[in-house]
Amino acid sequence: MNRWHLLPTALLLAAAAPLSAQTAAAPTVSASAPLKLTPADEKRLFDAGQRYTRWFLAGRADSLMGVLSAETATQINGIEGIRDMMGQVAERAGVETEMTEEKLTRRNGYPQFWHAAKFRDFTDDELVLRWVMELDGKVRGIGFGPKSRSPEPDPS
């Protein structure tokens, strides 16, 4: 069974492309009542997204396990699923050479941290790592893939 389709924001590797991603429907917050963020929430979630990205790129799967929602941890097959994702990015994209953009947006009503960067072996596009979070910083969705194929954040 392909466990990747279970992620709110899922990764699929295509044989013909260096790295590609697909977005599956994530649970949404009512359009009339999106999660309210204070400036302090925005800073805290932005900082958390940067930290999660550093952990991901450094191979710290155990640290990431501690911030995944229980549902997300189950859907990706726990720490082995995280390690598998890390290995796929390292194998297909290589190491990050230049961070080009970081921002806090929204995806399906939830805060989403967006980290775009150039990678040594991923020369045709930037690679984007995305963390969809709850207000408490727990990760409810993970996505990564070429910037040109990344799902657009919610309109502001």
Side-chain angles (χ1 to χ4, degrees):
M1 179 172 142
N2 183 349
R3 66 182 179 264
W4 301 116
H5 77 283
L6 300 173
L7 281 175
T9 306
L11 165 75
L12 296 175
L13 294 176
L19 190 65
S20 63
Q22 173 184 337
T23 301
T28 59
V29 175
S30 167
S32 62
L35 294 175
K36 302 276 186 204
L37 297 180
T38 66
D41 290 333
E42 289 178 4
K43 178 170 180 7
R44 183 177 45 76
L45 293 171
F46 184 89
D47 292 347
Q50 286 184 314
R51 186 171 51 257
Y52 303 163
T53 300
R54 282 192 313 269
W55 290 346
F56 185 89
L57 295 174
R60 294 184 56 191
D62 56 338
S63 297
L64 281 172
M65 258 318 280
V67 299
L68 298 181
S69 69
E71 180 181 67
T72 299
T74 299
Q75 290 174 338
I76 66 167
N77 194 32
I79 199 161
E80 290 307 315
I82 294 170
R83 287 182 180 137
D84 196 27
M85 288 182 220
M86 291 171 170
Q88 289 177 40
V89 168
E91 180 182 319
R92 295 294 193 94
V95 297
E96 182 176 296
T97 58
E98 178 186 353
M99 188 274 294
T100 58
E101 179 181 27
E102 287 186 322
K103 61 185 176 182
L104 189 65
T105 65
R106 288 188 179 268
R107 179 77 181 135
N108 294 326
Y110 287 92
Q112 172 185 246
F113 179 79
W114 175 292
H115 174 94
K118 295 179 183 177
F119 282 72
R120 183 189 64 217
D121 300 331
F122 197 71
T123 58
D124 293 339
D125 201 349
E126 294 171 60
L127 182 67
V128 175
L129 302 171
R130 301 178 320 274
W131 306 99
V132 179
M133 296 177 270
E134 300 280 354
L135 279 177
D136 64 2
K138 286 287 187 183
V139 174
R140 67 178 290 113
I142 304 167
F144 52 98
K147 187 173 187 177
S148 63
R149 294 187 186 171
S150 293
E152 291 295 321
D154 295 350
S156 338

